[in-house]
Amino acid sequence: MRILETARLILRPWRESDADMLFRYASDPDVGPRAGWPPHKSVAESLEIIKTVFCGEGMWAVELRDTSEAIGCVGYLPASDSNLEIDSDHAEVGYWIARPYWGKGLCTEALRAVVDYCFNVKGFTVLWGDYFPENPASGRVMEKCGFVETGLEVLCPGLEIGGDKPVKVMRLDYALSE
């Protein structure tokens, strides 16, 4: 998998050695539920997530360039794995960042790199994203990257937390991202 770099970040594959750092941030009860997953309960659980969820194509650890610390995750899901019903040349993006780094533009920086990769390397024509209405900051991240509200609200029953609550759906077309 390609490593992506931005001014402040390195987006790289997750490593098993990231388990302690992942647990430190993913055990925060204010982080996971905002993205549809429960707080991690142990380093062993975080390691298992690295091995089974974060190991695939399109999932990057968000690493601070200055400290080499993994502080979040960003990636995309192809249509076959998406929470949304989308066309085969579309993908769904997702991200989370550790609470100490909220409000610093790091999620936006990471997502911009993934958007560029999805359109210019993977050849997707449309990107989708969704967020819980009680987490408007997530919607603002997408908005800063050019996504627009679709007016759709859907359920994502595959989420571990919040599958029974509607999410707002946003969209970015390749033609409009130029």
Side-chain angles (χ1 to χ4, degrees):
M1 175 160 77
R2 182 181 287 187
I3 293 174
L4 306 178
E5 297 190 38
T6 71
R8 299 179 290 171
L9 304 171
I10 297 173
L11 307 184
R12 56 147 175 94
W14 283 89
R15 304 177 191 123
E16 290 184 13
S17 60
D18 293 324
D20 286 330
M21 192 71 58
L22 176 58
F23 175 68
R24 180 183 336 161
Y25 295 129
S27 62
D28 183 331
D30 285 334
V31 174
R34 292 172 185 257
W37 46 268
H40 291 196
K41 293 177 178 51
S42 67
V43 173
E45 180 183 8
S46 292
L47 178 59
E48 188 63 22
I49 295 293
I50 289 170
K51 290 179 176 180
T52 60
V53 178
F54 292 170
C55 63
E57 159 77 22
M59 288 290 169
W60 288 270
V62 177
E63 178 182 291
L64 284 175
R65 184 181 288 279
D66 292 345
T67 65
S68 300
E69 179 182 22
I71 60 162
C73 186
V74 65
Y76 68 88
L77 297 171
S80 58
D81 296 326
S82 178
N83 292 305
L84 306 170
E85 291 184 29
I86 57 177
D87 293 338
S88 61
D89 61 340
H90 297 186
E92 178 186 356
V93 299
Y95 44 85
W96 66 268
I97 201 94
R99 186 194 330 216
Y101 303 98
W102 290 357
K104 299 180 186 315
L106 294 169
C107 247
T108 302
E109 191 172 321
L111 183 58
R112 280 188 180 127
V114 171
V115 165
D116 180 66
Y117 179 82
C118 283
F119 285 148
N120 297 310
V121 175
K122 297 302 289 183
F124 293 117
T125 60
V126 175
L127 296 178
W128 298 86
D130 53 74
Y131 67 96
F132 291 113
E134 59 272 12
N135 185 14
S138 185
R140 284 193 298 277
V141 167
M142 286 184 272
E143 195 174 76
K144 291 175 188 174
C145 293
F147 286 73
V148 295
E149 293 278 356
T150 64
L152 295 174
E153 288 194 14
V154 301
L155 296 177
C156 297
L159 297 176
E160 290 183 66
I161 290 183
D164 59 342
K165 298 187 312 187
V167 294
K168 291 187 172 196
V169 178
M170 298 185 77
R171 173 183 175 131
L172 177 61
D173 290 78
Y174 176 69
L176 300 176
S177 70
E178 298 280 301

